[in-house]
Amino acid sequence: MTELILGVITFLTSTIAGVVGIGGGMMLIVILPSFLPLNALIPIHGLTQVSSNLSRAIFGYKDVKVEVIPKFLLGSLLGIGFFMGILSFISLEYVPLFIGIYILLSLWSAKFNEKIKRYENYYLAGFFQTGLSMVVGATGPLTMTLLLKDYKDKNVVVATGAALMSISHILKVFVFMYFGFVFFDYIGVIVAMIIGAVVGSWTGTQLRDKIDGKKFVIILKVLLSALAINVIIGVFI
């Protein structure tokens, strides 16, 4: 019964992510503690997000901007290595606060964008998104915010964002395997969630065509802002 419930929930969250490119994974990680032990939470969420994002990128492969992938991948590898090395020495308690503030300023402040533009690139996005994804649940919006500035086509933003988030989650899964997490112990739940994620990605990709490009940008900006505010509030609660 748990497998069926999680499969349906993953389908719904993956469909949302398929339409607007983000939000599904964050909704899922809020729901999972009711069904899984805490030590299994991030590894299983990460593996499910690999299937959700990778399938979304495959369904929209024609819209993926391949030129940004090597930059993001290099940044991601450096980020994983760096944060694995320092995790035991520093407190990351306030990292979500800075991520939330950055996203809000980046989305709504022209002056901030003018000043930050020279420092924004896919190397840094990969470094922070992937490195911090091991401990912070809200790193996906970092890349989506950058893609929304660089590309106006909704399909390009969603498909490329999915490809980049796939890299983050794949590397994260390898890290958990390295540390000895046994995914096979949860094979029933994982299979159900992967099926839900892939079918949800396909459904979301079909529904995305029904949304006008200008409306899509507004919806994505509002959703990113809501996620950022939620992350900031979470630091203080």
Side-chain angles (χ1 to χ4, degrees):
M1 192 63 181
T2 301
E3 287 87 349
L4 180 62
I5 293 168
L6 284 175
V8 172
I9 289 170
T10 309
F11 163 76
L12 294 171
T13 57
S14 190
T15 299
I16 291 166
V19 174
V20 291
I22 202 160
M26 294 187 74
M27 292 175 191
L28 186 61
I29 205 163
V30 170
I31 296 167
L32 282 181
S34 303
F35 296 93
L36 295 173
L38 288 177
N39 69 309
L41 200 62
I42 295 180
I44 290 177
H45 177 265
L47 188 58
T48 305
Q49 290 308 105
V50 169
S51 56
S52 178
N53 284 287
L54 196 55
S55 59
R56 192 156 74 245
I58 290 168
F59 292 138
Y61 73 95
K62 290 178 182 174
D63 297 303
V64 174
K65 291 292 180 184
V66 181
E67 62 268 22
V68 307
I69 291 176
K71 301 171 187 176
F72 186 87
L73 177 59
L74 179 57
S76 294
L77 290 169
L78 292 171
I80 280 278
F82 178 77
F83 283 99
M84 274 179 71
I86 67 163
L87 274 182
S88 54
F89 301 107
I90 63 166
S91 169
L92 298 175
E93 188 181 350
Y94 293 103
V95 167
L97 176 64
F98 296 113
I99 289 175
I101 291 169
Y102 162 77
I103 290 165
L104 289 174
L105 287 172
S106 194
L107 287 172
W108 304 106
S109 171
K111 195 175 278 187
F112 176 81
N113 280 319
E114 209 176 288
K115 291 184 177 178
I116 201 78
K117 203 168 189 179
R118 71 184 76 168
Y119 305 109
E120 284 185 319
N121 59 64
Y122 290 95
Y123 296 105
L124 280 176
F127 182 86
F128 286 109
Q129 176 172 301
T130 305
L132 290 170
S133 69
M134 293 186 289
V135 285
V136 180
T139 57
L142 286 172
T143 302
M144 291 301 286
T145 306
L146 185 56
L147 287 168
L148 195 58
K149 290 178 188 175
D150 288 350
Y151 304 104
K152 301 306 171 198
D153 187 312
K154 63 184 177 184
N155 292 311
V156 169
V157 172
V158 174
T160 308
L164 300 183
M165 282 187 269
S166 298
I167 292 170
S168 293
H169 288 297
I170 288 168
L171 291 174
K172 184 166 68 176
V173 166
F174 278 125
V175 168
F176 282 110
M177 288 171 70
Y178 172 78
F179 282 121
F181 183 81
V182 183
F183 286 96
F184 196 76
D185 289 349
Y186 298 89
I187 191 68
V189 166
I190 288 168
V191 169
M193 290 177 75
I194 286 175
I195 291 169
V198 174
V199 177
S201 285
W202 184 84
T203 306
T205 301
Q206 307 310 307
L207 292 174
R208 195 188 317 136
D209 291 333
K210 313 290 183 197
I211 300 176
D212 172 71
K214 286 181 182 176
K215 283 182 186 170
F216 170 83
V217 172
I218 294 166
I219 291 168
L220 185 53
K221 286 180 83 168
V222 169
L223 182 55
L224 283 167
S225 300
L227 292 172
I229 291 165
N230 181 57
V231 163
I232 291 167
I233 292 169
V235 171
F236 299 103
I237 294 175

